[in-house]
Amino acid sequence: MLRVGVGQGAFAESSELMLSGLEAGVDYLVCDSLAETTSAFFALDRRRDEAAGFAPDLAGRVGVALPWVVNGTTRLITNAGGHNPLAAHQAVVHAVRDAGHRGVGIGLVMAEPAQNAPGTYGPPSEGFAEQVYLGAAGIVRALDEGADIVVTGRVADAALFLAPLVHEFGWGWDDWDRLAAGTVVGHVLECSAQASGGNYSGDWWNTVDLARIGLPIAEVAADGSAVLTKPAGSGGRVSFDTVREQFLYEVHDPAAYLTPDVVVDLTTVTLTDLGDDRVRVSGATGSARPKQLRGLTFSPGGWSSEALLTYCWPDASAKGRHVVAGLQKQAADRGLAVSEWQVEQFGVEGFWPGLGEGDVCADPREVTTRLAWRTSDAVTATAVQRLVGLVALSGPPGLQGIGRRRLGPNPPAELVDIAPFFVDRDVVERDLQVLVVRT
């Protein structure tokens, strides 16, 4: 039996959560830093600085795990390399050496020039970065070569967890049912506490305990079946319902769940609640992996800024709408080119636009109106934001401030457009590079 845990399900998630699995003595801990949004952030970082482009909290996370890595209890796998896995790998090597540890194997997995060469694998575009979702093979090679820590870039989420299972159990790359079973384990684990009570839509008040968060752990057998559980004494819950919600998360076609390593038929999977925070996951079947890999091209998406206007009763919603209409007209009259407006009213229908009048309070006590805009350049975005200064003492009564905000316009944010593409896997895999460095 192999015990695999998750230490991170999103960039900037607290590194304290890693201790849940480390203190439980898992054999492997996987930290998943990447999503499409965070990949866009890291792409911008590398465009501005060739030495950047990876998760800035990587060295800190490695520091948390080092005691368990050094004593041989746990091996760490992370995709925090983002758009610059080479620089991320070097940062980890330096961090481990600076901590005084020698003989630790630091693995690097990357497919260059894909990480930052738009048009190499995808169609020609005006993009400034490109990523392809890799499978588990490179991580397996790094583990085979003795890596205690593996740093990679964009690897499919579930593949991060599949890799140690292939390495430890010796599964063949055409053993579709076992690869499918391992992928299901990865899919259930990949989103941090979501399989152990986080974001649970049932009686969440009995599962949310921020003082005792317990991230899920999979106890995996050689045939790929697994029991999902969590550290003893931790908060949350592992049950049929909590696991089922994560199991169905981000699934388009349950009969053909596409991953770089295998196509999984999730309809054959059985979840069995064993009680005491233990759920058995079994029965996964799979078929041959896709002939193509999915990639993303990152290109300039303009600039954005926003204004938050909170008005109190009476007529809170009407005040916000009136001011927003006036600001939009002022922008047009002054020739400020806005390519897109976004208006939301929280307290009325910010999360549920289009509700009928009978479903919302006719005159709520307070409403926050959010006006956001997209422009082609930062100067125009800032100019639109300055118009908000017309409102303070010249607008409707009852304007309130929420939170601590700097005086004057806040800097606009640069946006990134993301476009998917597909590429023959052989074209990418021939560029796959694996390196293990001993500190």
Side-chain angles (χ1 to χ4, degrees), residues 193-208 236-237 239-246:
Q194 284 191 184
S196 57
N199 282 329
Y200 178 48
S201 62
D203 58 327
W204 56 266
W205 52 90
N206 290 322
T207 65
V208 175
R237 179 190 304 156
S239 68
F240 175 80
D241 286 331
T242 63
V243 175
R244 173 174 57 174
E245 285 197 3
Q246 173 58 28

Side-chain angles (χ1 to χ4, degrees), residues 212-276:
R212 301 185 304 125
I213 299 174
L215 302 192
I217 296 170
E219 300 172 347
V220 189
D223 65 356
S225 63
V227 172
L228 202 73
T229 186
K230 65 183 183 66
S234 63
R237 179 190 304 156
V238 177
S239 68
F240 175 80
D241 286 331
T242 63
V243 175
R244 173 174 57 174
E245 285 197 3
Q246 173 58 28
F247 180 72
L248 297 174
Y249 179 69
E250 293 183 334
V251 172
H252 176 253
D253 183 352
Y257 181 61
L258 302 178
T259 79
D261 299 296
V262 62
V263 178
V264 185
D265 185 353
L266 297 174
T267 67
T268 65
V269 174
T270 298
L271 304 179
T272 306
D273 197 325
L274 306 177
D276 298 323

Side-chain angles (χ1 to χ4, degrees), residues 409-422:
N410 292 304
E414 188 172 6
L415 299 176
V416 178
D417 285 336
I418 304 175
F421 65 86
F422 293 90

Side-chain angles (χ1 to χ4, degrees), residues 383-396:
V384 175
Q385 190 174 55
R386 289 199 181 98
L387 295 178
V388 180
L390 298 171
V391 174
L393 300 179
S394 303

Side-chain angles (χ1 to χ4, degrees), residues 86 89 105-110 138 141-142 145 147 149-151 433-437:
L86 180 59
H89 178 260
I106 315 296
L108 167 66
V109 178
M110 63 181 184
R141 281 174 51 187
E145 294 176 19
I149 299 172
V150 180
V151 179
Q433 299 180 44
V434 177
L435 173 69
V436 177
V437 173

Side-chain angles (χ1 to χ4, degrees), residues 38-276:
T38 48
S39 288
F41 293 156
F42 296 157
L44 280 175
D45 288 344
R46 185 166 185 184
R47 187 177 68 162
R48 296 164 181 158
D49 180 358
E50 278 294 316
F54 62 93
D57 63 351
L58 174 58
R61 289 188 176 278
V62 170
V64 172
L66 261 184
W68 288 268
V69 172
V70 171
N71 69 18
T73 300
T74 303
R75 297 167 88 172
L76 178 68
I77 299 171
T78 179
N79 61 1
H83 283 268
N84 201 346
L86 180 59
H89 178 260
Q90 293 172 337
V92 172
V93 171
H94 289 309
V96 175
R97 285 176 176 167
D98 290 346
H101 298 293
R102 297 294 181 265
V104 179
I106 315 296
L108 167 66
V109 178
M110 63 181 184
E112 290 286 5
Q115 299 296 341
N116 199 43
T120 301
Y121 298 131
S125 70
E126 296 181 355
F128 55 83
E130 183 177 280
Q131 279 186 331
V132 175
Y133 289 72
L134 302 177
I139 300 174
V140 174
R141 281 174 51 187
L143 296 173
D144 289 345
E145 294 176 19
D148 303 298
I149 299 172
V150 180
V151 179
T152 185
R154 195 20 137 176
V155 169
D157 298 349
L160 298 167
F161 299 84
L162 173 62
L165 305 180
V166 174
H167 165 72
E168 294 284 349
F169 296 134
W171 294 342
W173 289 111
D174 59 354
D175 191 343
W176 306 122
D177 288 349
R178 283 182 172 80
L179 294 177
T183 298
V184 169
V185 169
H187 174 59
V188 173
L189 289 177
E190 68 188 36
C191 290
S192 186
Q194 284 191 184
S196 57
N199 282 329
Y200 178 48
S201 62
D203 58 327
W204 56 266
W205 52 90
N206 290 322
T207 65
V208 175
D209 184 348
L210 298 183
R212 301 185 304 125
I213 299 174
L215 302 192
I217 296 170
E219 300 172 347
V220 189
D223 65 356
S225 63
V227 172
L228 202 73
T229 186
K230 65 183 183 66
S234 63
R237 179 190 304 156
V238 177
S239 68
F240 175 80
D241 286 331
T242 63
V243 175
R244 173 174 57 174
E245 285 197 3
Q246 173 58 28
F247 180 72
L248 297 174
Y249 179 69
E250 293 183 334
V251 172
H252 176 253
D253 183 352
Y257 181 61
L258 302 178
T259 79
D261 299 296
V262 62
V263 178
V264 185
D265 185 353
L266 297 174
T267 67
T268 65
V269 174
T270 298
L271 304 179
T272 306
D273 197 325
L274 306 177
D276 298 323

